[in-house]
Amino acid sequence: MSRSLGAAIGLCAVVLALTACVPEPTETASPSGSTTPSESSTPGASSSPTSSPSSTPRPQAQEIELPASCDAIYSASMRSRLGAELPPLNDAGVDIASTQVASLRGLIDSGVPTLRCTWGTAAGAALATSVTIVDPADAPRIQDMLAAAGFVCSDNSGGILCTSGNEADFLRGNGWVATSWSASVPDGYTEDIAATLWG
């Protein structure tokens, strides 16, 4: 009897030892062959890959592509108003710069993607607008340069609007809209561009 009991105890010990060596099925093989812990094995982890702020994509509303033409930067009503009040579009004689800040003119002329649009004539009222694609990380630097030049900046249309004298600059995401004028611009001109480009 004691011999049978001892054999049974020995068998149980062998079974326990073997089951203790079985790996837990909580690791998943990655395509490179390495293994990563299962998300469910980490306390508080979510199965959603976007739960971490660092993995959240940048809002698409902040990003724009360079417009294909000047007609694409205005709403239909603003385009019609400009055509009636300050024709023509892109007269070759209008050479006014879209920004009067020399260092920022250098940035526009450096080869960054830019669309230049003008209204009016060289002999009369005129305005010039540039839509420039920049690195979003450069926007604070542009704003600082505007502030140093005496511009007043405030939140507007989901971005930053900086104004001084006959110039208005709008910064949002990767877009920078700069406009200067020799006479006047229609009310809401820059805001219309912002609404058209960013929605």
Side-chain angles (χ1 to χ4, degrees):
M1 179 76 175
S2 60
R3 204 173 300 136
S4 299
L5 182 59
I9 291 173
L11 180 60
C12 286
V14 170
V15 170
L16 287 173
L18 289 174
T19 56
C21 296
V22 176
E24 290 292 330
T26 57
E27 296 189 347
T28 333
S30 69
S32 62
S34 62
T35 57
T36 55
S38 168
E39 287 178 343
S40 61
S41 65
T42 305
S46 166
S47 60
S48 170
T50 59
S51 61
S52 168
S54 62
S55 64
T56 303
R58 187 185 304 277
Q60 292 301 305
Q62 295 293 318
E63 304 295 328
I64 61 170
E65 294 182 358
L66 189 68
S69 71
C70 293
D71 285 327
I73 75 173
Y74 305 107
S75 66
S77 59
M78 181 59 73
R79 174 65 177 82
S80 176
R81 185 176 174 186
L82 289 164
E85 297 180 7
L86 203 60
L89 171 63
N90 292 336
D91 184 279
V94 177
D95 59 0
I96 183 174
S98 59
T99 177
Q100 302 307 310
V101 181
S103 55
L104 292 178
R105 283 202 304 272
L107 174 59
I108 292 174
D109 295 338
S110 69
V112 292
T114 298
L115 173 69
R116 175 180 163 84
C117 306
T118 68
W119 287 95
T121 63
L127 68 79
T129 293
S130 61
V131 179
T132 302
I133 302 301
V134 298
D135 188 320
D138 287 336
R141 181 171 64 91
I142 295 171
Q143 183 180 344
D144 288 344
M145 294 167 75
L146 290 167
F151 284 68
V152 176
C153 301
S154 59
D155 293 335
N156 190 298
S157 303
I160 299 294
L161 178 64
C162 300
T163 59
S164 177
N166 286 5
E167 181 174 340
D169 293 78
F170 180 77
L171 297 157
R172 180 175 175 183
N174 68 335
W176 168 33
V177 179
T179 301
S180 66
W181 53 92
S182 62
S184 62
V185 294
D187 290 339
Y189 176 86
T190 299
E191 290 85 350
D192 182 84
I193 295 175
T196 302
L197 294 182
W198 280 273

